[in-house]
Amino acid sequence: MITQLSIRGLAIIEELNIEFSSKLNVITGETGAGKSILIKALHLLLGVKADPDVIRRGFERAHVAASFQLPLDHASVGILEQHGLIAKEGPSIDLIVRREIQQKGRSQAWVNDQPITQALLKELGQTLIDIYGQHENHRMLDSSTHLEYIDQFLKDQRSKNQVLEAVTQMHAQLQILRKRLELYHTKRKEQDFLQFRFDAIAAFDPSLEDYKKTVQVCQDAGRYASEQKLMQQAQYVCDEAYQGRSLSSAFVELLKLAEQSKTLREDQDVQGALEPLRNMGRSLDELSYHLGRASTAHVLDDEEIEAYQNRLAGYQSLFRKLSVRSIEDLVQEYERLEKELSFAQLAPEELAEGLHELHQRAKLVDKLAKKLSQDRRKAAQTAVNEVVKELHDLNMKGASIDFEFQDVRNSIPDLELSDFDQSLLAIWHACVSVLTETSRYGREKGQFLLAANPGEGFKPLAKVASGGEISRIMLGFKKALAVGATTSVMVFDEIDSGISGHTAHIVGKKLKDLAARFQVVCISHLPQVAVYGDAHFRVEKAQKGKSTESRIFRLSAQQSEEEIARLLSGDQVTHSSLAHAKQLILAARV
C-alpha cells in the first residue's frame, strides 16, 4: 500500500503530504479544487511522460514521492531484486519512489534513492498502482479495446505474449523477404547493364596502387628524360675510360715497372707519388662497373613512358564512362557491381530458403493463435459471467452482457514469384492463409454487447450504454478481476460518474469490498460513496497572496459528517443535511 504521498511544486499544489489508510480512502472537494492533480501525481510515479508545464509557477522543478509497504511475495519485488534495488529483510519491504520534473523538460526518477530509467519506472509502476479514470469510459466505448479486457481473464498470459512475439517476428521476416525479392527483380532487370559495367572495369583491372604509380610516372616523365640524358653522358665517360684498355691495367703496369727499376724503387719521391695509384686502379674498376649498371637501371625509355601515359588515359576514359570521379569511387563501384551480380545469381536460393523459414514460422503462429483463440473463448465466458454478477449487484438487475468474436481479415500484397520454382507458390499460399487470418493480437477481434433490460437484444456498448452504465460495467470488471490483481493500490477517479441514489450506495459498498483485499483511493462527488471511506480527505483551493493554492486535509469523524452533509445539500450544511449524513454513515457501518 501507499503509506504516504508527497507533492511539491505541481500545478496549483505548492506542497502537501497525504498519509493514506490501508483500506478505503475517499477524496472529495469542489470542482477545480485540485483532485485531478492527485491523479496526475500518481501517473508521474507510473512513468507517464512528464510535461514541464505541470511545474507550479515560481518553482524550478516539480517533485512527487510515494512511500510503499510491500509484502515479500509482491510482483514488484522480483523487478526490484533483478535491478539490485532492494534486499529481502523482515516481513515486508519499504519502498520509496520519487520523480522530479525540471523546467527544461528533464525528468529523473529514483527508487530508494537510487536513480532508475523511465522504462524501469513504468515497468515497476504497473505492479504498484492501478488507476481507473474517466478516460476508461471512453476506452470501453471503443470496441477495438475490448479484446484487452477479455485477455485480462486469461489463465495463462504467456499464450498471448507468445502469439504477439511470433506474429511480430513473422511480419518482420515477411518484410525482409519482400524487400529482398523486390531487390532481386530490380537487379534481374538491370543485370545486362550491370554486367556491361562490371566487364568494362574487370577488363581494365584497376587498383589504387596501380593508379597512383601511373599518375606518378606520367607526372615525372620530364624528369625521366633528363635522367636518361645524364645516364647516357655517364656511359660515354665510362666508354672513354675503357678505350683500348682499362685505366686500372695501365696503373698496374706502371707500378710493376716501378718495382723492377732499382732507381725508381729507391727514389722516395717517386714511391710517394705512386702510392695513391695502388688503390686508384681498383676504385676506377668499381666506378666503371657501377656507372654501367646505373646507366641501364631506374630509367624508363620512351616506350615505357608512353605505355604509362596510355594507361592513365584509360583510367580517365573509364571515369567518364562510369560517371565516377576518383579511383576510390571506381574501386567501390567495381565491388558494388560484383556484389549485385552475385546477389542476382544467388538470390533465388536465398529467397527460397527465406520462404521456407517463413512457412515454418507461419505454422508456429497458426498453432499458437488457435490455442489462444480457444483460451480467449473460455476467458470471454468467464468474464461475461463474472461481470454480469457484478452488474446485478450494481443495480443493473436485468442486464446481460455478451462478447462477439470476429475473425481477422488482413490484406496481404502478393509476392512476385513467377521467376521461381512453382513449388514455392504453394508454400507462399500456405503463408498467406495465416497472414490474412492473423493480426499481431491473434486470429480474432471482438466487442462487448449489452442488453440493458430483459427482452432487449444485444447491441454494441457504444450504441446503448449510458455513462452510468459504463461506469458500473468498468467497476464490475475491476471487481471481477480483483482476485488475480497484482497491484498494491487501486485508484478510482470518479468511478461513480453518471449514477446516484441507491446505485451510488451499491458502488460505495463494492469499493468497500475491494478495500478488504486492496488499498483503494477513490475520488468522488457522491455522499453515498464517501460514507464508506475508512479515511476521508477534502481538497480545497485557497488564495495565497496573488496565487491560488490547492490543499488537502484528512477529516475527523465530525468533519467528515459535515463534508457529507455539504455534498448532500449543495455546499450549505443544514440541520437536516447533517442528520441525513449521520444516517448514511450509520447505514454504511452496518
Side-chain angles (χ1 to χ4, degrees):
M1 69 174 189
I2 296 180
T3 56
Q4 187 176 58
L5 176 66
S6 300
I7 305 171
R8 186 173 186 275
L10 184 69
I12 62 172
I13 294 177
E14 183 170 309
E15 186 167 4
L16 63 78
N17 295 283
I18 311 174
E19 293 186 2
F20 289 107
S21 162
S22 62
K23 296 181 179 179
L24 177 58
N25 299 268
V26 178
I27 301 173
T28 58
E30 297 177 358
T31 301
K35 300 187 297 295
S36 62
I37 302 174
L38 299 178
I39 300 298
K40 185 183 293 292
L42 292 173
H43 274 300
L44 291 175
L45 292 178
L46 294 179
V48 172
K49 185 177 180 181
D51 190 330
D53 290 343
V54 302
I55 300 174
R56 179 173 172 81
R57 189 173 184 179
F59 282 70
E60 294 183 358
R61 54 180 60 85
H63 185 270
V64 180
S67 299
F68 292 85
Q69 193 174 66
L70 306 173
L72 295 180
D73 61 350
H74 193 267
S76 62
V77 174
I79 300 172
L80 294 166
E81 284 188 316
Q82 180 182 353
H83 292 86
L85 295 171
I86 59 165
K88 290 183 178 179
E89 294 180 1
S92 63
I93 292 171
D94 292 325
L95 184 70
I96 299 176
V97 181
R98 294 192 294 125
R99 181 91 181 271
E100 184 178 271
I101 300 92
Q102 299 178 3
Q103 285 285 3
K104 293 183 179 179
R106 186 181 179 188
S107 171
Q108 293 179 285
W110 296 265
V111 166
N112 288 348
D113 289 328
Q114 297 185 56
I116 62 171
T117 63
Q118 186 171 332
L120 179 55
L121 179 64
K122 184 175 291 188
E123 180 184 3
L124 186 63
Q126 290 174 349
T127 68
L128 294 173
I129 306 174
D130 182 9
I131 298 179
Y132 165 75
Q134 293 190 51
H135 70 280
E136 289 287 341
N137 282 1
H138 300 294
R139 292 188 77 250
M140 197 66 187
L141 294 173
D142 181 1
S143 62
S144 67
T145 69
H146 289 184
L147 198 61
E148 298 176 25
Y149 294 100
I150 294 299
D151 285 347
Q152 292 181 64
F153 286 86
L154 289 170
K155 291 183 178 180
D156 184 4
Q157 293 289 327
R158 291 177 301 174
S159 62
K160 181 185 69 173
N161 296 334
Q162 287 174 337
V163 170
L164 173 61
E165 181 180 0
V167 172
T168 300
Q169 291 176 350
M170 184 179 180
H171 279 276
Q173 187 174 354
L174 174 62
Q175 293 306 313
I176 293 172
L177 184 64
R178 190 183 304 282
K179 289 180 180 179
R180 296 294 282 176
L181 186 61
E182 290 174 356
L183 180 61
Y184 166 74
H185 287 304
T186 299
K187 298 311 172 188
R188 278 292 302 273
K189 292 177 182 177
E190 299 175 350
Q191 190 166 5
D192 291 342
F193 176 67
L194 295 174
Q195 191 68 54
F196 168 76
R197 289 171 68 89
F198 177 79
D199 290 343
I201 300 175
F204 195 76
D205 191 23
S207 72
L208 184 61
E209 295 77 12
D210 175 66
Y211 179 76
K212 287 182 177 179
K213 182 179 179 181
T214 300
V215 170
Q216 190 64 47
V217 169
C218 292
Q219 289 176 346
D220 294 342
R223 185 178 63 82
Y224 279 122
S226 177
E227 288 292 316
Q228 186 70 25
K229 184 176 180 180
L230 291 172
M231 288 300 106
Q232 289 173 352
Q233 291 175 349
Q235 187 64 52
Y236 173 77
V237 173
C238 287
D239 290 344
E240 287 293 315
Y242 277 90
Q243 285 183 1
R245 56 181 182 173
S246 67
L247 289 175
S248 61
S249 298
F251 291 154
V252 170
E253 185 175 348
L254 181 58
L255 291 169
K256 183 179 179 183
L257 292 173
E259 286 295 323
Q260 291 175 352
S261 169
K262 181 179 179 182
T263 302
L264 295 177
R265 190 170 60 248
E266 295 177 352
D267 191 323
Q268 295 300 317
D269 293 333
V270 172
Q271 289 299 317
L274 288 174
E275 186 60 31
L277 297 181
R278 300 182 191 280
N279 296 321
M280 192 177 293
R282 289 190 297 271
S283 297
L284 283 173
D285 279 343
E286 290 181 11
L287 177 59
S288 298
Y289 168 75
H290 290 305
L291 283 173
R293 180 180 56 78
S295 66
T296 58
H298 305 298
V299 178
L300 299 176
D301 59 26
D302 292 341
E303 291 184 359
E304 288 176 302
I305 292 175
E306 184 179 0
Y308 276 106
Q309 290 173 336
N310 291 336
R311 179 75 175 166
L312 181 59
Y315 270 111
Q316 293 169 344
S317 175
L318 203 56
F319 289 171
R320 290 191 299 271
K321 184 185 296 184
L322 301 178
S323 300
V324 297
R325 296 184 177 183
S326 66
I327 182 60
E328 290 82 7
D329 292 342
L330 183 65
V331 171
Q332 288 179 5
E333 176 69 359
Y334 182 63
E335 293 172 350
R336 182 188 71 82
L337 291 168
E338 187 175 31
K339 288 180 182 178
E340 292 188 0
L341 288 169
S342 176
F343 169 75
Q345 295 170 358
L346 299 177
E349 181 178 344
E350 175 195 329
L351 292 168
E353 182 179 341
L355 196 56
H356 279 92
E357 291 179 3
L358 184 68
H359 186 215
Q360 293 300 315
R361 194 174 295 279
K363 290 193 289 187
L364 174 62
V365 166
D366 194 43
K367 178 182 177 181
L368 293 173
K370 286 179 178 177
K371 173 64 167 56
L372 178 59
S373 294
Q374 295 173 357
D375 293 344
R376 275 175 170 162
R377 277 160 174 78
K378 294 177 183 178
Q381 192 60 51
T382 300
V384 166
N385 292 340
E386 293 294 328
V387 173
V388 167
K389 289 179 184 178
E390 296 296 332
L391 292 182
H392 289 175
D393 290 345
L394 287 164
N395 209 28
M396 293 179 68
K397 300 294 185 182
S400 294
I401 281 184
D402 197 6
F403 193 85
E404 178 185 57
F405 283 100
Q406 301 160 352
D407 293 333
V408 167
R409 286 290 179 267
N410 298 320
S411 177
I412 304 296
D414 205 1
L415 293 184
E416 177 54 58
L417 297 171
S418 57
D419 293 343
F420 295 82
D421 189 292
Q422 291 301 300
S423 63
L424 294 181
L425 284 173
I427 295 175
W428 167 241
H429 289 151
C431 295
V432 167
S433 67
V434 176
L435 288 163
T436 54
E437 296 173 3
T438 312
S439 72
R440 293 179 66 248
Y441 304 103
R443 294 171 59 89
E444 57 277 317
K445 53 186 179 179
Q447 64 176 338
F448 283 105
L449 305 175
L450 173 67
N453 300 295
E456 293 183 3
F458 285 102
K459 294 181 181 179
L461 288 183
K463 293 185 177 180
V464 296
S466 66
E469 287 170 333
I470 288 295
S471 293
R472 280 178 279 175
I473 290 171
M474 284 305 309
L475 182 57
F477 268 103
K478 291 293 182 184
K479 184 68 167 55
L481 285 167
V483 175
T486 60
T487 51
S488 296
V489 186
M490 288 190 174
V491 179
F492 295 93
D493 182 12
E494 298 193 5
I495 184 68
D496 46 22
S497 176
I499 60 175
S500 60
H502 180 61
T503 302
H505 274 291
I506 296 172
V507 169
K509 190 174 185 308
K510 284 292 181 184
L511 292 172
K512 183 74 171 180
D513 292 343
L514 273 177
R517 288 178 48 84
F518 304 93
Q519 183 186 39
V520 177
V521 177
C522 177
I523 294 176
S524 177
H525 63 282
L526 293 179
Q528 296 92 333
V529 172
V531 295
Y532 284 94
D534 295 289
H536 189 178
F537 298 86
R538 171 177 167 80
V539 179
E540 61 183 39
K541 285 192 299 185
Q543 288 297 121
K544 186 177 181 181
K546 295 183 179 180
S547 62
T548 301
E549 181 181 355
S550 180
R551 299 172 182 174
I552 188 167
F553 305 93
R554 182 165 179 167
L555 304 178
S556 65
Q558 181 179 346
Q559 289 171 328
S560 180
E561 289 180 2
E562 293 174 353
E563 173 67 5
I564 292 168
R566 184 189 66 80
L567 293 172
L568 286 167
S569 61
D571 292 341
Q572 294 295 325
V573 177
T574 63
H575 289 294
S576 59
S577 65
L578 193 58
H580 190 188
K582 291 180 179 180
Q583 291 176 349
L584 290 178
I585 293 171
L586 183 63
R589 298 293 184 267
V590 176

